[in-house]
Amino acid sequence: MIRTSRPAVDPRVVPFFGTTREGQPLSYNRAPAPDLAPWLARLSVTRMRLVAGQTLACGLFADAAGIRIQLGGHAEVDTVHGVTHQDRSAVFMGPQTKILPVRLSGDFVSVGVAYRPSACTPLLGPIMPQLVDRVTPALYWPEAQLLALFKASDHPEAQLQAIEGLFRERVAALRDIQPEPITARFEEIAFIDPAMSIAQAAREIGVDRRRLERLVVRDFGLPPKQVLRRARALDMASYLRGVADDGEAEALALRYYDESHLIREFGELFGMSPRQFTALPQPLLTMTLEARQARRLEMMGRLAPGQRRPWE
C-alpha cells in the first residue's frame, strides 16, 4: 500500500524535540550505551505540551516490554484489566498484542526504557507471558527510587544517563547470567525479515523449531508467528505515520499477499483501517513507532547512532 496522503498532525500539541519533515512531533530517543546494548533496546524521553483543558485521545503500541516513568501530566491507559490512571508514577508495561487506547492531559513528560526480549528473563524471571497487554507497578525497583532519579525539568540526556546507571548496577549484580542468544537472533529476524516462516527462522538460527517456539514465548510473551505478524504491522504503521524510510514502501507492502490481507491484519491489531490510521493524529503512538524504526535501521546497519534519520 502506497500512502496517498500526509499523516494527520494535531496542531494543538507543542513538540519539544522537533518534528519530522511532515510535522510529526518527535521524542528524544537513542540506543543504549554499548555495555547495555545486549540488555536494553531503546531509551527515550517524551514531552508534549497540551492546550489547557485539552484531552488527547491517542494510543500506545510497543513490541518491547519496559519501564515508563511519568514525571508530568495525567495519563489513562485502557488495558486488558481495566483503565489505569497515572500521574507522577513509574510503571512496567508488558509487550503488546494490539494498540492500547491512551488519553493524556496536562504537560506530559515521561522517561522510557525498553528491554530487549532476550534480556527479559535474566532481568525479571520467566514471567513475560503473564504481562502481555498489562500495566503493572514497576518491577524490581520501588517506584519512589525510580522517581527520585529525575526532575521533569532535567535535560533529557541526563535523564537517560541516570536510568542507564541504574540498569548498569542491576546487570553487574547478575554476574554470569547473560541474555538468551537464540531469542536475540529471533529479534533480529523480526526486524529484518518478518515475512520469514518459523521453520526457516529455526534453520537460520540453527535450533530445533520447538525449542525456538518455547524460548520466544518465554521471552517475548507471544508465539513466534504472532511476533512476526506484529513486526510487519508496526513497520507498516511507521510508514503510514511518516516515520519510516519511504524507499521501503514497496518492500513493506510485499510482505502481505494483497491489500485485503493488509487491511484485515492491520485492522485486527490497530482497530482501524490503514486509511483511518493515516487520517487520525496520533502523536504519542507516532513517537513510539519512530523510536522503534530508528532502532530497526540501526540494527540493520542502514543508520548510524546519532545520524540524521530519513524522516527528519
Side-chain angles (χ1 to χ4, degrees):
M1 177 182 218
I2 304 301
R3 182 160 52 90
T4 57
S5 60
R6 292 165 62 95
V9 176
D10 190 333
R12 300 171 299 172
V13 175
V14 179
F16 278 80
F17 304 120
T19 66
T20 69
R21 59 176 179 265
E22 294 184 328
Q24 301 294 328
L26 297 171
S27 66
Y28 180 92
N29 69 83
R30 64 163 172 80
D35 63 311
L36 293 174
W39 302 89
L40 303 182
R42 203 77 181 169
L43 299 107
S44 62
V45 177
T46 301
R47 293 185 182 177
M48 287 187 288
R49 177 170 295 156
L50 307 181
V51 173
Q54 174 189 0
T55 297
L56 175 67
C58 193
L60 188 63
F61 196 163
D63 54 352
I67 295 172
R68 284 186 178 266
I69 304 162
Q70 187 171 323
L71 304 175
H74 178 75
E76 298 177 2
V77 184
D78 294 351
T79 75
V80 292
H81 293 288
V83 179
T84 66
H85 295 265
Q86 301 166 23
D87 292 294
R88 186 173 170 83
S89 59
V91 299
F92 183 87
M93 303 196 71
Q96 295 173 230
T97 61
K98 59 184 178 180
I99 191 171
L100 299 182
V102 178
R103 291 167 295 282
L104 304 177
S105 57
D107 288 348
F108 181 78
V109 182
S110 75
V111 180
V113 54
Y115 294 27
R116 292 195 64 177
S118 52
C120 284
T121 298
L123 288 170
L124 302 171
I127 61 174
M128 205 49 53
Q130 305 166 35
L131 299 173
V132 173
D133 292 329
R134 291 191 61 187
V135 178
T136 70
L139 303 176
Y140 187 76
W141 292 287
E143 181 180 64
Q145 182 183 2
L146 293 172
L147 291 173
L149 288 173
F150 313 105
K151 295 178 182 177
S153 59
D154 290 343
H155 188 279
E157 181 57 30
Q159 292 174 328
L160 297 190
Q161 290 182 17
I163 197 72
E164 283 182 320
L166 202 63
F167 272 91
R168 200 167 276 117
E169 293 175 1
R170 172 65 174 142
V171 168
L174 293 174
R175 299 181 183 276
D176 295 329
I177 302 175
Q178 295 295 319
E180 172 55 61
I182 293 174
T183 311
R185 180 69 184 100
F186 186 77
E187 181 189 21
E188 293 175 1
I189 288 172
F191 275 108
I192 297 169
D193 187 8
M196 185 180 293
S197 70
I198 307 306
Q200 184 180 352
R203 290 194 296 271
E204 289 274 338
I205 299 171
V207 67
D208 177 81
R209 175 171 176 164
R210 289 188 179 181
R211 186 172 183 220
L212 175 63
E213 290 174 339
R214 178 177 60 81
L215 290 175
V216 170
V217 169
R218 184 195 70 180
D219 295 344
F220 281 81
L222 306 173
K225 186 175 181 179
Q226 195 169 357
V227 171
L228 298 179
R229 179 174 176 252
R230 180 183 63 186
R232 289 197 302 269
L234 289 172
D235 284 340
M236 179 57 70
S238 300
Y239 168 67
L240 294 173
R241 296 306 310 164
V243 288
D245 185 347
D246 285 344
E248 288 192 290
E250 185 176 352
L252 297 180
L254 287 174
R255 294 173 176 178
Y256 296 91
Y257 300 124
D258 52 31
E259 189 164 348
S260 63
H261 179 213
L262 164 62
I263 292 171
R264 182 175 65 255
E265 283 209 353
F266 197 90
E268 289 174 1
L269 273 65
F270 286 91
M272 65 189 85
S273 71
R275 290 187 185 277
Q276 291 170 323
F277 185 77
T278 304
L280 183 66
Q282 301 179 78
L284 181 62
L285 177 58
T286 303
M287 290 182 196
T288 304
L289 292 170
E290 192 271 341
R292 178 186 179 275
Q293 200 63 206
R295 178 173 182 249
R296 172 177 173 268
L297 294 181
E298 289 173 12
M299 177 179 284
M300 295 169 68
R302 292 175 48 194
L303 187 68
Q307 184 179 356
R308 187 178 180 86
R309 299 166 190 177
W311 45 87
E312 291 183 309

